[in-house]
Structure formats: C-alpha cells, structure tokens
Amino acid sequence: MPNAIVAAGLSKTYDVKVRDPGIGGALAALVRPHYRQVRAVRDVSFSIERGDAVAFLGPNGAGKTTTLKMLTGLLFPSSGGAEVAGCDPWTGGNAFRQRIAFVLGNKQQLLWDLPPEETFRLNRAIYGVSASDFASRRAELVDLLLLGDLIDKPTRQLSLGERMKCELAAALLHQPEVLFLDEPTLGLDLEAQQTIRDFLGTYRERHGATILLTSHYMADVTALASRVLIINRGLLLYDGELAALVARIAPIKRIELVLSESVSRARLAEYGTVAHYAPPSATLEVPRENATAASARLLAELAVADLSIQDPPIEEVIRIAFGEGENG
Amino acid sequence: MASASAARAVTIWREQYTELMRAAFLVDLQYRASIAIWLLWGITEPVISLGIWWSIAAGGAVDGYTQGAFARYFFGVALVNQATLSWDAWNIDRWIREGEMNYRLTRPIAPIHEAIADNIAYKAPTTTIILVVWIAAAAFWPAVRVPFEPERWMLAVVAIVLAAAIRFLNGYATGLLAFWTTRATALVELQFGLSLFLSGRIAPLSLLPPGVVSVAQYFWFPYVLSFPVEVLTGSVMSTAQYARGFAAQIVWLAIWMALYLLVWKRGRRRYGAVGG
C-alpha cells in the first residue's frame, strides 16, 4: 500500500518573546526584546499507509497540533519535509488542498449566522464538486451523521455536538483522501462522541480515507485507531500498535473480583498486588503471563462471586508513556 | 483540451464567486439593522462637512465653489466613499489572531477572494441606496444634478472601481501585518485619519492649503476619493487631468498589489500557530 502521509525529520522552532512581569518588564522588552527558542516539534518522522487510522497522543503543548498544522501546509517547518496524499504540503497548492481536510474541534468553518446547508453550498463551489457528486455525497453524510433537519437551522442555534457533525459533513463533501482531525470530540456529550466515532469508522471503511487524529478521549483512540503515535515535548516517543504499547508499558493484568465471603487483604496478597480493596470487591495486579493461572487459583481457593481479567486503563498506560519521555 | 480545462476553470471561478457573494449577502441580511446604522454613520461626515461649507458659501462662492457645487461634491463623496470603503484589515486581524485563518488556508481558494466577494456583496446594495437617494434629491434640487454626460459617468465608474481596488488592497495588505504585529489595525486608523485631509473627505482638495495639497500628491489618498468625485461632478475637465488621475490610480494599484503579494508571501511563511 502506498503511503498517504510521510513525515521526514519534521522540526518546528518558534522564537518566543520573553519578558519579566510588571510594567518594568514590559518597558524593558520594548527597548531590548529577548527571544527564547522553543522547539515545538523535534525531528519527527513517521509514515502512514493509505486507508489507515492513526491517533496522535500527547499532553497539551506536546507538539501534536503543530505537527498537524505542518502536515496540512499551514505552518512551514524549520527543517525536515513531508509528503501528504502524494503532494508537498507547502508547494502543493490547490491540488494538495483538494485532497485533504483539516477539522479543528475548537474552531469552526460553518457560517455562524446561516444554516449549515449554506456552508455545504459554498464548499461545493469552492472545491468544484459536480452537482451529481454533491447530491450523492450530501445524502450519504446526512444519513450517516443523522443530520436530518439540522442542516436547515441557523448554525448558531445548534448544540456543540450538532455543530461538530455538520462541521464534519462540510469538511468531507469534496471527499478528501486524507483527513486530519484535531480533537474532533472535544467537549461533546457521550452520545455525540459515539455518533462521531461510529461515523468516522464507517466513513473510512467505505471510502478508504486515511485518518490522523488527536484526542484526549481514549475511547476515540481505542475505537478508531489501532496504531498510535505518542509525542511529548516535541519528540516522537512511540510509534506502533496500541496493544503492543499496553503490553510493554504495563506488563500486568488486572483481576477484578467480587467476593461472596469476607477475605482479608493479606490473604488476597498471596495471589498478586492488591491495587484496590473494598470488600466485597477488590482488584489485584498480576504479571500478564500469570493472569490465567492466578484466576484459576482464585476461583478454586476463594469464594468468588465474579471475576474479570482486564488490561490496565489506557489512560494510565499513556500517562506512563508520557512519563518515560519526561525522564528520557 | 486546453480550452476545455480553461472553460472549466472559468466555470469553477464563477461558481466560487457566486456562492461567496451569496453567502456574504445572506449574512449581511441577518445584520440589516447594523448595516443601516453603518450607512447612516457613513453619510454623517459628508453631511456635516456640507453643512459647514454651505453656511460659509452663503456669503458667496469660496474659491469657485458655490453652495450648489459643495452640495454636488459632498453627494459625490458620500457615494464614492461608500463604494470604496475598506474594513478588511479588521477582518483579517481577527482571522489571524483568533485562528479563523486556519481553515481558510486549507481551502483551495486564496482568502482574498472571500474578502473581495464580501466587499461586492456589501457595497453593491448600499451604494445603490445612496445613488437612489441622490437621484431622488436631484429630481427636486437642481443644484445637486451632475452634468448629463454619459461618457463622463462611464469614466467615473472606472475611476470608482480603481479607487475601490486601491483602498481594498491597501486595507487588506495592512491587515496582513497582523502576521507580525497585534496592532495592524492601528495603522489603518492612522491612514484613516490622514485621509480626512489628504483624500478630500472634509473639503475639496483645491481649498486646502497648498502645502497640504503638495503632500497629498505623493500619496494614494487623492486618487481614491477626490479624483473619482471630481470626475463624477464635472470638475475634471482636461484630457491632461484625466490622464494624470488615471495614471496615478494605475500606479498606486500596482504598488498596493505588489505590497499585498509581498506581505502575503512573507506572512504565510511567518504564520505562527495561533488558535490552538
């Protein structure tokens, strides 16, 4: 499969004006401004195959959005290069822009005072979509995103979740090959988040679109992407399968128990580390390879009402992965 | 083959402008009350100037300007000013500071086209309103009638379109300085203050002190207001005056176009990650 996105040694350094607090500091900065270099993205390289969905993870200010802005041609890199949908993002011009879409969860392109339908019309003309393609794609998007009569209401009267659904529809009318999503579910309620996740999954399967998304919601990541890129302080720390990351970072499984008889903490500790103890429920952490055997012993030796084996929460895995970058 | 793709490019371009103007017009309709107030605000200044000069000219013509000539001049100022206004610097400043430039930069159309369409959608109806008011006034008030010379009107239209283009590019290029500074709009306000005297907004240029007039010649200001107004009202008579005025307009248009392209190109490289 050819690559849809290739980033080769992408770096971005900003000059940030530094000034001391107070009026004195402000005046001093006027006379003799000091600049500090901030290396927002450092030598980031990766490639994504056509049709893949990859999640870009990292704490705030890690360099996720800056990388996305470079890949979409908005920002020029300080060094390094990239190829997206077969084009150079900075010199690809309108041919490049026809092939991508960039949806920012915190900024909208919908015309605020008019119904979303007007933005759809406008985008049809801007992207030069034929009338027949427009009609079929619009119908598909309205159907998949459950837009119904939302598109005829002024955008300012829509809820955040409704707006985001319309925003996605507006961004996909030209059927981009590569879709960049920056926090697409930010601030949405659970139902709206779920609709958007389901939609993105279905859309990618149907059209073979490549998706690179950032999100703070692990549910987005686990539902949409099997592969993750972890970035912190501008450095790419991990590039690979989510499952492999979980196995490497957290080589344990959690056994969640509900006991039908009282069992002391010390007794439970014979089977593994007691992470949580609130009778009748308790959680044990055991090495991955021992999980099955430990469970069998628990069931045989204690009065267990319920037992389940789980991976540690993905949030925790990611937090540990970020921490590795801090130390390294 | 080449002609087919050229024809397709023209079709796309036409559809883009049609839809951009349609959207801008529909948004304007939502703000019709505000637009009525801006329109009134826009004509307040020429009305006040006319009131002052009207009373001064009551004692006799001022440097050849009778009361009627002042009335024609300031009707012309109101019309030309409405057709050539530029508020684009404020829009661009907001687009850049608040991150609204981002999606505009990922669309296959340069953001300047949206601004041009927005200008046409706003100015076509509002300038028509001023023109209709002027025609209605002229029906009852012979002094405000301009000479019946259709060729002159055609030339006035050309002068107004060139003036609008110069002011637009001037405002747009200055607004793009927001890529570097947060005070780009202050520069626009400074220019607006200077234009009060140098473009003929508060008095016909020929009535200003010779020093002011000679300074004005080195700027674009006289050619974006005074010149089109004087073509319209009949003050520009000789071929030499026409040639000088249009030549200056074309030169200033080229200068501001070049400045726009320069600032745009440099600014795009400079563009920082504002807005998330």
Side-chain angles (χ1 to χ4, degrees):
Chain A
M1 280 293 258
N3 285 320
I5 303 175
V6 179
L10 274 185
S11 295
K12 180 74 186 176
T13 306
Y14 293 113
D15 283 332
V16 179
K17 216 174 194 173
V18 210
R19 72 173 217 210
D20 296 327
I23 291 178
L27 289 176
L30 273 182
V31 182
R32 188 184 293 174
H34 284 285
Y35 292 92
R36 184 168 55 89
Q37 287 208 324
V38 174
R39 298 173 70 193
V41 174
R42 297 191 259 176
D43 198 23
V44 165
S45 300
F46 58 86
S47 55
I48 298 175
E49 280 185 5
R50 201 154 283 182
D52 269 3
V54 174
F56 211 173
L57 308 175
N60 289 329
K64 304 183 297 280
T65 304
T66 302
T67 307
L68 249 48
K69 283 180 173 174
M70 287 195 279
L71 292 173
T72 49
L74 288 179
L75 291 181
F76 287 74
S78 307
S79 63
E83 192 181 275
V84 176
C87 301
D88 177 308
W90 307 285
T91 58
N94 289 343
F96 166 66
R97 293 181 197 115
Q98 285 281 1
R99 294 176 190 187
I100 62 154
F102 187 18
V103 178
L104 291 134
N106 60 348
K107 286 290 163 199
Q108 59 162 17
Q109 65 157 321
L110 293 173
L111 295 156
W112 182 248
D113 297 295
L114 304 178
E117 180 72 43
E118 292 295 336
T119 304
F120 297 173
R121 273 187 69 146
L122 182 60
N123 280 6
R124 184 197 72 72
I126 283 179
Y127 288 93
V129 178
S130 72
S132 58
D133 282 348
F134 175 71
S136 61
R137 291 175 193 174
R138 182 184 165 285
E140 184 194 10
L141 291 163
V142 166
D143 177 46
L144 286 178
L145 281 161
L146 317 169
L147 297 182
D149 56 358
L150 292 182
I151 55 176
D152 298 321
K153 282 196 213 167
T155 299
R156 59 165 181 262
Q157 290 176 12
L158 301 179
S159 71
L160 190 61
E162 291 170 337
R163 280 213 301 276
M164 193 61 210
K165 293 197 291 181
C166 295
E167 196 72 42
L168 275 171
L172 294 172
L173 284 167
H174 64 288
Q175 216 160 77
E177 294 169 32
V178 182
L179 184 52
F180 295 93
L181 302 161
D182 192 22
E183 301 285 354
T185 52
L186 189 71
L188 305 190
D189 63 42
L190 291 172
E191 195 186 331
Q193 286 182 25
Q194 192 57 47
T195 311
I196 285 177
R197 273 174 216 136
D198 293 347
F199 165 74
L200 289 171
T202 312
Y203 186 85
R204 185 173 72 91
E205 273 174 28
R206 276 197 200 174
H207 299 285
T210 309
I211 296 179
L212 178 56
L213 88 155
T214 75
S215 177
H216 279 109
Y217 298 115
M218 286 308 145
D220 285 353
V221 178
T222 47
L224 289 170
S226 54
R227 176 175 158 204
V228 295
L229 298 170
I230 295 183
I231 187 171
N232 195 9
R233 301 188 175 194
L235 284 169
L236 191 61
L237 301 177
Y238 179 81
D239 174 357
E241 299 293 312
L242 186 57
L245 177 75
V246 173
R248 179 168 77 78
I249 297 268
I252 54 157
K253 288 263 185 188
R254 290 189 157 202
I255 301 176
E256 297 192 349
L257 294 167
V258 179
L259 300 156
S260 47
E261 280 171 18
S262 132
V263 178
S264 74
R265 196 181 179 113
R267 174 91 175 88
L268 277 179
E270 289 169 19
Y271 301 87
T273 312
V274 183
H276 174 79
Y277 180 73
S281 62
T283 307
L284 293 177
E285 285 179 357
V286 297
R288 254 170 201 278
E289 59 277 15
N290 298 350
T292 318
S295 304
R297 276 180 58 212
L298 282 163
L299 288 168
E301 297 165 14
L302 301 178
V304 174
D306 193 19
L307 180 148
S308 65
I309 305 174
Q310 293 184 340
D311 278 320
I314 190 78
E315 281 85 353
E316 213 172 301
V317 173
I318 300 295
R319 192 176 49 72
I320 297 168
F322 292 168
E324 285 188 352
E326 306 270 320
N327 304 329
Chain B
M1 190 68 185
S3 70
S5 68
R8 177 160 160 72
V10 169
T11 307
I12 288 176
W13 186 83
R14 200 191 60 230
E15 286 191 348
Q16 288 177 331
Y17 261 83
T18 307
E19 291 300 329
L20 282 168
M21 288 194 294
R22 180 192 140 92
F25 182 71
L26 290 174
V27 171
D28 285 349
L29 275 184
Q30 299 283 319
Y31 290 93
R32 50 198 179 275
S34 314
I35 285 172
I37 292 166
W38 291 331
L39 195 55
L40 276 176
W41 172 243
I43 61 168
T44 304
E45 189 187 282
V47 165
I48 292 172
S49 301
L50 174 58
I52 295 168
W53 288 108
W54 184 266
S55 58
I56 294 172
V62 182
D63 213 5
Y65 274 85
T66 60
Q67 283 183 322
F70 277 119
R72 277 195 297 284
Y73 182 83
F74 285 108
F75 267 80
V77 167
L79 183 80
V80 174
N81 192 47
Q82 186 63 34
T84 63
L85 297 168
S86 174
W87 60 86
D88 304 277
W90 280 271
N91 280 1
I92 296 160
D93 185 69
R94 198 189 65 237
W95 291 354
I96 292 175
R97 274 189 305 105
E98 298 185 10
E100 291 173 31
M101 195 55 128
N102 290 331
Y103 78 80
R104 291 185 162 88
L105 290 175
T106 60
R107 297 195 298 200
I109 184 172
I112 195 170
H113 296 292
E114 181 183 345
I116 295 171
D118 188 24
N119 269 267
I120 298 171
Y122 176 72
K123 288 172 178 175
T126 53
T127 307
T128 305
I129 291 172
I130 295 188
L131 187 63
V132 168
V133 170
W134 191 353
I135 292 169
F140 302 101
W141 189 9
V144 297
R145 289 176 196 165
V146 297
F148 190 84
E149 297 169 23
E151 302 86 2
R152 177 183 286 282
W153 296 350
M154 297 300 288
L155 288 170
V157 169
V158 175
I160 290 171
V161 169
L162 286 169
I166 297 168
R167 277 184 82 177
F168 170 77
L169 286 169
N170 164 222
Y172 197 87
T174 312
L176 287 176
L177 294 177
F179 280 129
W180 290 268
T181 166
T182 51
R183 297 303 301 155
T185 53
L187 277 173
V188 181
E189 281 165 27
L190 174 69
Q191 293 180 30
F192 191 72
L194 284 174
S195 77
L196 197 59
F197 294 98
L198 303 184
S199 71
R201 261 165 58 205
I202 57 164
L205 277 184
S206 60
L207 301 188
L208 295 179
V212 175
V213 177
S214 63
V215 168
Q217 304 306 317
Y218 295 101
F219 289 92
W220 58 94
F221 298 118
Y223 309 104
V224 296
L225 192 74
S226 173
F227 174 68
V229 170
E230 292 184 344
V231 170
L232 186 62
T233 56
S235 303
V236 171
M237 302 295 280
S238 70
T239 311
Q241 283 174 314
Y242 276 116
R244 191 179 139 70
F246 280 117
Q249 283 196 313
I250 289 164
V251 168
W252 279 112
L253 183 62
I255 290 173
W256 278 110
M257 177 63 98
L259 286 172
Y260 153 68
L261 291 171
L262 179 77
V263 177
W264 175 244
K265 211 173 158 199
R266 293 269 174 99
R268 279 289 288 109
R269 294 203 75 94
R270 160 93 194 173
Y271 187 44
V274 187

